[in-house]
Amino acid sequence: MKYQSAYLVPHKSAPIFTPANLLHEDVCLPAAVIKKTALENNIRWMQRYADTRGVSLAPHGKTSMTPWIFQQQQQAGAWAIGVGSAWQASVAMASGIHRVLMVNQLVGKANMQLISQLKAQFPTVDYLCCVDSLDNARTLSAFFAARHQTLDILLELGVPGGRCGCRHAEQALALADVISRLPALRLRGLELYEGVLHGENPQPKVEALLRDAAALACQLERYVDGEFILTGAGSVWYDVVCNVWLSADKPASCRVVIRPGCYVTHDEGIYLQAQEAIIARDQTACDLGGDLLSALELVAMVQSVPESGRAIVNFGKRDSAFDAGFPQPIAHYRAGNALNLPLKSLETTGIMDQHAMLKIAPGADVKVGDILVFSTSHPCLTFDKWKALLLVDDSYNVLETLETAF
């Protein structure tokens, strides 16, 4: 919905609304904002990357859970929107998404009932979920067969010590063989998430898992009619996934699908570091031109300067991610005017539920009522704290209110 300010600008004929501006204190702060130009850049950049590599893009919608963003990604060419739960699938379908890839197991009667209802309500939407056990496969088969529906599934491959997924190829092949004889289930391909592999140098382990998956896909091909979907890749290893799978032997009719999510707003923390590593090792990412930009920011106010060298700002754990580093100030405004913010003159050193503590360098000019703009790290955990975020232009004029659906 459109966001309009309560302030009218005098006009000789009819009054018009002026856009609310965060720097003029037209909006209650703190507020989470998304820079429109950066968001559009990121959506275009990742779609160009996927198109250039010849793979399909299924952005993970759980990052933003913002239907308006889902729609922008689909309009730009996304093949699907990825989700992690039946509820998230319902949000995507209700948003007009044509294909929903639920990269998780569908378990529990209420969740299965919801998906059954959604399949009836949105019969043209292509919905897929994951299976990694015979128990789950049999339960799903019985449930959807009783309702005369077919459930499309992907076999999930996991790793020891990881999360879901068959732990070895023999288990996956045995499961596929049983699924082929169960009513109401249709195997469409193979899914994994390489991001569970960690360590000092996880790339060799990631590449080994991807090679194993490609070999397994070839063995599973006989159980899949038509196109075989082979999907992986979060926001850290999508280039490696492309490199390995595009060069590997795989089913004849194979669609490689990558699923980054955090790229959509990027950040100035862990995903900046991940993208810098991709740019350093991947020629395609270099040749595309441009790069991802940090689009998600937190705008807040200085509410107290209780002692020398210390400022308190009116945001906290209820407003922003803090698991991958504290939000850090990147811009400073007073009475709507930008002030110089030398590097490290202000630094977030602590955070509580509703307060952030900043260290002020000697000589830095900070007053109560100043507005500070903060960058963040790990956008997922900032999005999920807000019922709505503000889409703004580069001058912090509010263009839209984007409702989330967590």
Side-chain angles (χ1 to χ4, degrees), residues 137 140-142 144-145 149-150 178-186:
L140 292 171
S141 176
F144 286 93
Q149 293 175 314
T150 298
V178 173
I179 288 172
S180 70
R181 297 191 296 274
L182 290 174
L185 299 186
R186 178 167 53 204

Side-chain angles (χ1 to χ4, degrees), residues 12-294:
K12 289 182 179 180
S13 54
I16 61 172
F17 284 101
T18 58
N21 186 282
L22 280 82
L23 306 182
H24 296 156
E25 301 183 34
D26 297 338
V27 175
C28 291
L29 300 179
V33 305
I34 299 177
K35 292 285 193 70
K36 185 174 187 286
T37 54
L39 178 75
E40 291 176 341
N41 169 83
N42 296 347
I43 291 173
R44 289 194 304 266
W45 192 94
M46 190 60 74
Q47 190 63 56
R48 288 205 327 272
Y49 183 89
D51 293 344
T52 301
R53 297 305 302 262
V55 303
S56 295
L57 177 63
H60 210 334
K62 67 95 178 171
T63 296
S64 72
M65 283 308 297
T66 304
W68 186 87
I69 292 180
F70 295 175
Q71 294 161 2
Q72 304 309 303
Q73 292 170 313
Q74 180 170 266
Q75 290 171 17
W79 178 77
I81 293 295
V83 299
S85 70
W87 162 251
Q88 293 175 6
S90 73
V91 172
M93 291 189 195
S95 304
I97 300 307
H98 304 149
R99 181 176 291 104
V100 177
L101 188 58
M102 189 178 125
V103 193
N104 218 343
Q105 279 64 32
L106 177 61
V107 295
K109 184 173 66 174
N111 286 325
M112 289 186 281
Q113 183 63 46
L114 175 56
I115 294 301
S116 177
Q117 293 169 351
L118 291 169
K119 288 174 70 65
Q121 184 179 358
F122 302 102
T124 62
V125 174
D126 188 14
Y127 167 85
L128 303 92
C129 64
C130 294
V131 170
D132 70 353
S133 72
L134 184 55
D135 287 343
N136 187 214
R138 285 175 172 157
T139 301
L140 292 171
S141 176
F143 185 93
F144 286 93
R147 288 154 180 79
H148 308 289
Q149 293 175 314
T150 298
L151 183 67
D152 289 326
I153 60 174
L154 301 172
L155 210 63
E156 181 161 14
L157 179 65
V159 298
R163 54 188 197 191
C164 305
C166 297
R167 290 321 199 227
H168 48 75
E170 292 76 13
Q171 180 187 356
L173 289 168
L175 179 56
D177 187 64
V178 173
I179 288 172
S180 70
R181 297 191 296 274
L182 290 174
L185 299 186
R186 178 167 53 204
L187 186 61
R188 297 276 299 275
L190 180 65
E191 181 274 337
L192 60 78
Y193 176 55
E194 74 294 335
V196 297
L197 294 169
H198 301 290
E200 186 174 345
N201 180 24
Q203 184 168 339
K205 294 186 290 185
V206 169
E207 292 174 342
L209 174 64
L210 296 170
R211 288 192 295 268
D212 290 345
L216 176 59
C218 293
Q219 295 176 283
L220 292 170
E221 183 178 10
R222 66 183 182 272
Y223 297 111
V224 176
D225 291 331
E227 180 181 77
F228 191 105
I229 297 168
L230 182 59
T231 177
S235 298
V236 176
W237 299 108
Y238 60 84
D239 63 314
V240 174
V241 171
C242 290
N243 292 341
V244 173
W245 280 352
L246 292 177
S247 62
D249 291 335
K250 49 190 177 290
S253 178
C254 185
R255 180 184 295 274
V256 173
V257 181
I258 59 173
R259 308 190 310 270
C262 290
Y263 79 89
V264 73
T265 54
H266 198 44
D267 70 12
E268 292 285 350
I270 56 175
Y271 288 105
L272 172 62
Q273 297 167 12
Q275 182 68 3
E276 288 175 342
I278 289 170
I279 294 295
R281 67 180 178 243
D282 185 66
Q283 191 61 47
T284 301
C286 293
D287 293 344
L288 277 182
D291 200 354
L292 299 178
L293 302 173
S294 182

Side-chain angles (χ1 to χ4, degrees), residues 321-373:
F322 56 91
D323 63 311
F326 296 142
Q328 294 297 334
I330 57 173
H332 184 188
Y333 295 88
R334 181 177 298 159
N337 298 312
L339 302 181
N340 185 34
L341 183 60
L343 185 66
K344 295 297 185 182
S345 61
L346 296 177
E347 181 182 3
T348 308
T349 56
I351 188 169
M352 300 178 72
D353 282 359
Q354 307 287 174
H355 301 83
M357 283 67 75
L358 270 63
K359 179 181 178 181
I360 307 174
D365 179 21
V366 179
K367 294 182 178 180
V368 172
D370 287 356
I371 290 176
L372 297 175
V373 179

